[in-house]
Amino acid sequence: MLKMIRTSASSYSHGSSTSTTRGMPFLHSTPLVLFVVNNYLAFFHSRSSNPTKSRETLLRNRLNVSNVEDALKVFDEMLHSRPLPSAFLFTHILAQLVKFKHYSAPIPLFKQMLLFRIVPNHYTLNIIINCYCRLYQMGFSLSVFAQFFKFSLQPNVLTFTTLINGFVLQNRVPEAAQLFRKMVEAGHCKPNVVTFSTLIKGFCMMGNNTAAVQLLRNMEERGCEPDIFTYSTIIHSLCKDTLIEEALNLFSEMISRGIAPDVVTYTSLIQGVCNVGQWKQATRLLNEMVSKGIFPDVVTFSVLVDTLCKEGMVVEAKSVVDMMIQRGIQPDTITYSSLMDGYCLRGEMDEAKQVFDLMVSKGSLVNVLSCNILINGYCKQKKIGEANKVFKEMRCMELVPNTVTYNILIDGFCKAGRLQEAEKLFSEMQGCGQLPDVQTYNILVNGLCNNQQLSTALELLREMEGNKLELNIVVYNTIIEGLCKAGKMDSAIDLFSGLSSKHLQPDVWTYNIMILGFCKGGLLSEAEKLFTEMKEKGCSPDGCTYNTIIRGFMNNNETSRATGLIQEMLERGFSADASTMDLIVDLLSRDTVDPVLVAWLKDSV
């Protein structure tokens, strides 16, 4: 439930991207902003101070501004002084603004430079390209790139790396890869470790670990040494895809090359092994990092707390939180939310509320996600009043409920049979500007069907179809099931038959619902026909399918057809459930017993 890694990235210093594609936790993008700025500032400070240019020396002393307002003021003064300062001094102001992460501010200043015929250098253009990339405006970035040739400048490795990073930030990784290939083929400048690492990060964001590892090997072949960021990025991606062995192998390779892992690397591995239940491995890695003088930080501890809670080990998770505090590491929103979720999963709502109240007392720790966790916990325990109370408190905390918040509470009202309140909340949701999603409608449809309000559910379905909402098979399954339970098989058949016209394919649940409906109605030939159809259409029956149709035949005294299906079920690796077993036992108690049943019983024992 928690999206831990979405908010924890800012704790680390590997870079500055806020992209969260594939949930890259605590791994920033390549440190391109610092690379762009520091690359320029190093050049700026390395320029010799010519005594004849005392005026520029004085200006240079004023350029180390401490905030955006001062930077803009100095730039304006420079623009109106005569003679005009050099492009390097103007560029220094642009670099300072980027350092403050005000990516939009340098752009109008750059345009003023051009109006005053101040010819930019390649540092200037690289900074502006980076600003447009950070603002997700790649079209303008490429336009600035074209200006290199206009001003007879040669794009350098930083230029290409910045553009590649811009494409990656917008999840346009194929275009980033294409630009990288063109850069290599042209041969004017060699990609460096930042270039390679940026594209590797893009491949990992897409989940293309194979391409990421291939690029790692390619950079080695080209004599470019990978760094800690390169390895940590791939290790984290492998762990996200539960490829733990591959991640550990890469980790060993990194160490053998003399690249020391940091807290980010270890945290990725610890989260990876925890996700697959390798607790001994997690303990080993934790002890190993501490023995190397690398101490867990708030993100590492939060990973442990979240994993322990999901395993139902809330007491141990609480001990980890206490340990954090003893070591002077303050738990953050993620840590406390994980602990609260752990209590909710165990139904220990008093303890969950205590954690929530503690977060409130600490000021800014509570967010919408925290509230959603507590509201969901109350709803699961059927404490709708308490859930609604937290919902109303959100406004007092100036928190705006999101679609997930409304979905949780609407579902709670529906399951409690309080449909009027659910419908009222649905209307309120729309009035507050929160658009219902497919899940919202499915919750309402399910609530209406479960409370025998099929006509209203069908009206809602027509409304959704009329609004051109992209409905999934789940919504239709819910209504088909409601119709079958109500014995309205004709209506269920009509809805089922119309799925293809809506470009929806029935799934195994759809078939199971219809087969059960036919069996209950004594329409065994229709059930068998549908059973055959689903196999022909590539939808494999599951254990529920077999048990449903077998019981249907047994309940209608079609023992021979049932025994044939029992044999098929066994061959496909499925077993009888409790209800089917009761019927089989009843058949075995009769005077004449089918040999297939006897064989099945022997295999079961």
Side-chain angles (χ1 to χ4, degrees):
M1 188 168 189
L2 295 170
K3 303 277 186 203
M4 171 183 305
I5 50 189
R6 289 183 181 272
T7 54
S8 59
S10 59
S11 306
Y12 289 83
S13 57
H14 273 314
S16 59
S17 171
T18 56
S19 172
T20 55
T21 306
R22 269 176 52 81
M24 299 281 285
F26 39 79
L27 283 184
H28 277 159
S29 69
T30 309
L32 209 52
V33 172
L34 293 178
F35 186 43
V36 171
V37 174
N38 292 340
N39 188 281
Y40 167 74
L41 293 180
F43 176 81
F44 174 82
H45 289 296
S46 69
R47 296 184 74 212
S48 61
S49 181
N50 190 328
T52 62
K53 295 189 176 181
S54 58
R55 182 173 160 278
E56 285 212 359
T57 303
L58 288 171
L59 272 173
R60 191 179 299 183
N61 293 334
R62 292 193 58 201
L63 293 182
N64 292 320
V65 294
S66 59
N67 56 61
V68 176
E69 291 73 19
D70 286 347
L72 296 175
K73 183 179 178 181
V74 172
F75 185 91
D76 188 62
E77 289 175 4
M78 290 167 58
L79 206 59
H80 290 88
S81 62
R82 293 294 181 273
L84 284 168
S86 67
F88 283 100
L89 297 180
F90 281 103
T91 301
H92 185 81
I93 294 293
L94 303 185
Q96 292 280 6
L97 288 168
V98 171
K99 200 170 184 179
F100 298 142
K101 296 187 178 180
H102 278 262
Y103 302 118
S104 59
I107 294 169
L109 303 188
F110 171 68
K111 290 178 180 178
Q112 288 187 58
M113 287 175 62
L114 296 181
L115 287 172
F116 278 73
R117 300 186 184 281
I118 301 167
V119 178
N121 53 43
H122 61 278
Y123 292 106
T124 320
L125 297 180
N126 284 341
I127 288 170
I128 300 303
I129 287 172
N130 182 53
C131 288
Y132 277 125
C133 287
R134 294 284 164 177
L135 295 169
Y136 305 104
Q137 297 181 6
M138 285 307 297
F140 288 114
S141 292
L142 295 170
S143 297
V144 177
F145 176 69
Q147 293 188 33
F148 272 89
F149 308 102
K150 175 183 175 182
F151 293 109
S152 301
L153 297 171
Q154 183 67 43
N156 57 18
V157 63
L158 179 55
T159 315
F160 285 102
T161 303
T162 305
L163 285 168
I164 289 168
N165 188 58
F167 282 123
V168 169
L169 287 173
Q170 287 192 271
N171 296 324
R172 295 164 63 179
V173 180
E175 290 167 90
Q178 185 180 22
L179 182 60
F180 178 85
R181 284 193 295 271
K182 287 181 178 178
M183 175 188 181
V184 172
E185 289 166 4
H188 298 306
C189 55
K190 289 173 60 178
N192 60 19
V193 63
V194 182
T195 320
F196 277 104
S197 297
T198 301
L199 187 54
I200 283 172
K201 181 195 70 173
F203 286 134
C204 289
M205 284 165 57
M206 291 176 63
N208 193 344
N209 295 314
T210 303
V213 173
Q214 284 177 349
L215 193 56
L216 173 67
R217 302 306 170 212
N218 183 254
M219 71 185 291
E220 293 166 340
E221 291 168 6
R222 292 178 176 274
C224 182
E225 288 293 321
D227 62 9
I228 180 64
F229 175 78
T230 318
Y231 276 106
S232 293
T233 301
I234 303 176
I235 287 169
H236 173 70
S237 185
L238 291 168
C239 287
K240 283 294 294 180
D241 291 338
T242 65
L243 299 170
I244 306 302
E245 186 177 349
E246 291 87 337
L248 289 170
N249 289 339
L250 205 59
F251 178 71
S252 299
E253 176 189 310
M254 180 181 80
I255 293 173
S256 68
R257 299 186 65 158
I259 301 171
D262 61 8
V263 66
V264 177
T265 323
Y266 273 111
T267 302
S268 292
L269 284 169
I270 289 169
Q271 184 170 36
V273 296
C274 283
N275 287 342
V276 295
Q278 294 181 10
W279 291 102
K280 288 183 180 179
Q281 187 75 282
T283 304
R284 183 190 69 77
L285 287 165
L286 194 61
N287 291 334
E288 180 183 303
M289 70 183 286
V290 173
S291 69
K292 290 183 178 181
I294 304 168
F295 295 99
D297 62 5
V298 65
V299 182
T300 318
F301 280 116
S302 294
V303 166
L304 293 172
V305 170
D306 187 53
T307 306
L308 287 167
C309 286
K310 285 174 179 173
E311 292 293 322
M313 302 165 70
V314 185
V315 175
E316 292 82 352
K318 178 65 167 60
S319 298
V320 173
V321 173
D322 293 339
M323 186 196 307
M324 290 175 67
I325 296 169
Q326 289 168 9
R327 295 191 178 191
I329 301 171
Q330 287 303 312
D332 60 9
T333 300
I334 299 299
T335 322
Y336 282 123
S337 295
S338 295
L339 183 61
M340 185 168 59
D341 193 36
Y343 283 126
C344 288
L345 289 171
R346 289 168 59 92
E348 298 173 355
M349 294 312 300
D350 289 342
E351 289 80 358
K353 185 62 165 60
Q354 286 175 13
V355 176
F356 183 81
D357 291 340
L358 178 62
M359 294 173 72
V360 172
S361 69
K362 290 182 176 289
S364 60
L365 284 183
V366 174
N367 60 15
V368 175
L369 176 60
S370 315
C371 295
N372 288 350
I373 290 169
L374 190 60
I375 291 169
N376 186 59
Y378 278 129
C379 287
K380 295 293 183 187
Q381 295 301 310
K382 304 188 187 310
K383 296 182 177 180
I384 309 303
E386 293 298 320
N388 200 27
K389 185 179 176 182
V390 176
F391 175 76
K392 290 176 179 177
E393 286 175 1
M394 290 179 71
R395 289 179 175 80
C396 300
M397 292 183 281
E398 298 182 352
L399 294 173
V400 180
N402 58 17
T403 302
V404 176
T405 319
Y406 282 103
N407 286 352
I408 292 169
L409 198 52
I410 289 170
D411 188 47
F413 280 129
C414 286
K415 285 177 178 173
R418 295 160 64 171
L419 290 182
Q420 285 188 338
E421 288 165 278
E423 290 171 7
K424 181 182 176 183
L425 195 60
F426 177 69
S427 299
E428 179 188 317
M429 174 185 185
Q430 293 170 299
C432 291
Q434 287 291 343
L435 294 176
D437 58 10
V438 174
Q439 179 67 12
T440 319
Y441 283 107
N442 191 47
I443 289 167
L444 279 172
V445 166
N446 190 56
L448 291 166
C449 289
N450 288 338
N451 286 276
Q452 292 77 49
Q453 296 192 26
L454 281 171
S455 57
T456 310
L458 286 166
E459 284 177 20
L460 188 58
L461 177 65
R462 303 306 172 213
E463 180 186 320
M464 289 187 281
E465 290 174 337
N467 291 335
K468 306 297 182 185
L469 195 68
E470 286 189 24
L471 302 177
N472 56 26
I473 192 64
V474 177
V475 178
Y476 288 95
N477 285 347
T478 303
I479 294 185
I480 290 170
E481 185 174 28
L483 292 167
C484 288
K485 284 180 178 179
K488 299 182 177 181
M489 285 307 298
D490 289 341
S491 299
I493 292 167
D494 288 342
L495 202 55
F496 176 82
S497 302
L499 290 175
S500 58
S501 65
K502 297 175 176 64
H503 307 290
L504 289 172
Q505 289 297 321
D507 59 13
V508 67
W509 183 26
T510 324
Y511 282 108
N512 288 350
I513 291 166
M514 290 297 296
I515 288 169
L516 179 61
F518 283 132
C519 288
K520 282 187 174 180
L523 302 171
L524 296 181
S525 58
E526 294 298 323
E528 192 170 28
K529 180 181 175 183
L530 204 57
F531 180 73
T532 304
E533 178 190 303
M534 71 182 292
K535 291 189 284 187
E536 290 173 350
K537 291 190 174 180
C539 183
S540 299
D542 60 9
C544 179
T545 321
Y546 280 105
N547 278 283
T548 299
I549 196 165
I550 287 167
R551 284 198 300 271
F553 284 130
M554 285 183 170
N555 285 326
N556 286 275
N557 299 316
E558 295 281 357
T559 310
S560 59
R561 292 163 82 180
T563 51
L565 284 170
I566 289 172
Q567 185 63 38
E568 183 180 321
M569 178 175 70
L570 294 173
E571 290 171 357
R572 289 180 177 268
F574 299 112
S575 58
D577 60 22
S579 299
T580 308
M581 276 296 298
D582 287 342
L583 291 173
I584 291 172
V585 170
D586 182 60
L587 286 174
L588 289 170
S589 65
R590 296 178 183 179
D591 295 334
T592 305
V593 182
D594 193 295
V596 174
L597 285 176
V598 176
W600 177 85
L601 186 62
K602 287 180 180 178
D603 290 339
S604 299
V605 174

